[in-house]
């Protein structure tokens, strides 16, 4: 009986350790030599492309970290209410992010998947991707944003 109880405890402990999420989902790692990003994808619609979609999501995040253009579209219109001196005026703005295709291709060619984890309940796949800083510095058309500050306390601890 003791052996069965001990085996069950070991099994449940291993299951709990296995199902815990990695630290990089809560705190994104930082390093002087790499930029990191996390991507996620659900397996429900296209299970065969789940990992590729998660990596693509992380690449998009890295691209937005390096450089993003914002396009603003303003729309004004006037609605006549039938009266000589009255009417309704409307104004809206739409914001759209633009990421350079050459930047996305550059990141795809230079990034690597460091770790991946699938949530046992939702089955969502998370990937941790990193891009070497030296590859960005070597290319003159892209630069790391000034806001990127290295914090040694957030250096990667990857499981």
């Amino acid at each position: 009986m003791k052996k069965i109880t001990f085996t069950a405890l070991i099994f449940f402990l291993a299951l709990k350790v296995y199902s815990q999420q990695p630290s990089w989902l809560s705190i994104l790692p930082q390093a002087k030599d790499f930029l990191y990003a996390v991507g996620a994808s659900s397996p429900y619609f296209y299970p065969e492309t789940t990992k590729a979609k998660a990596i693509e999501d992380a690449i998009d995040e890295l691209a937005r970290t390096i450089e993003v253009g914002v396009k603003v579209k303003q729309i004004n219109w006037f609605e006549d209410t039938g009266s000589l001196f009255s009417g309704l005026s409307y104004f809206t703005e739409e914001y759209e992010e633009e990421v350079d295709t050459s930047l996305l291709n550059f990141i795809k060619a230079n990034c690597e998947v460091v770790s991946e984890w699938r949530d046992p309940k939702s089955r969502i796949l998370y990937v941790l991707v990193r891009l070497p800083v030296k590859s960005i510095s070597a290319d003159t058309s892209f630069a790391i944003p000034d806001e990127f500050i290295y914090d040694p306390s957030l250096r990667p601890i990857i499981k």
Side-chain angles (χ1 to χ4, degrees):
M1 183 66 178
K2 286 182 181 180
K3 186 176 182 181
I4 294 172
T5 304
F6 180 73
T7 305
L9 285 173
I10 293 294
F11 173 75
F12 286 118
L13 180 62
L15 184 63
K16 183 171 175 56
V17 169
Y18 173 74
S19 65
Q20 288 179 344
Q21 72 179 28
S23 62
W24 50 263
L25 273 178
S26 303
I27 301 172
L28 192 63
Q30 288 188 12
K32 288 182 181 180
D33 299 331
F34 296 98
L35 289 178
Y36 289 88
V38 173
S41 181
S42 173
Y44 294 113
F45 298 111
Y46 302 101
E48 64 279 358
T49 62
T50 301
K51 186 172 181 178
K53 290 289 185 187
I55 293 169
E56 183 180 320
D57 187 43
I59 288 171
D60 287 343
E61 190 63 33
L62 279 171
R64 285 192 301 271
T65 299
I66 295 170
E67 178 180 287
V68 66
V70 177
K71 183 169 41 171
V72 179
K73 181 179 179 183
Q74 295 182 345
I75 304 169
N76 296 309
W77 71 92
F78 182 77
E79 182 180 322
D80 189 1
T81 59
S83 172
L84 181 60
F85 298 106
S86 68
L88 300 173
S89 182
Y90 298 95
F91 173 77
T92 63
E93 286 185 344
E94 295 176 5
Y95 296 92
E96 186 177 304
E97 285 185 356
E98 288 184 339
V99 178
D100 186 4
T101 308
S102 63
L103 176 60
L104 289 171
N105 292 335
F106 172 80
I107 294 171
K108 283 179 191 175
N110 291 288
C111 74
E112 66 176 317
V113 176
V114 178
S115 185
E116 59 184 73
W117 178 74
R118 187 177 301 273
D119 186 322
K121 291 180 183 174
S122 68
R123 304 294 300 151
I124 293 175
L125 177 68
Y126 296 90
V127 295
L128 177 65
V129 175
R130 71 180 182 184
L131 177 69
V133 171
K134 66 181 177 183
S135 67
I136 302 167
S137 304
D139 190 304
T140 57
S141 58
F142 306 115
I144 297 173
D146 293 335
E147 301 86 39
F148 180 75
I149 299 169
Y150 172 67
D151 182 353
S153 68
L154 297 176
R155 67 183 174 277
I157 302 172
I158 301 166
K159 295 179 183 179

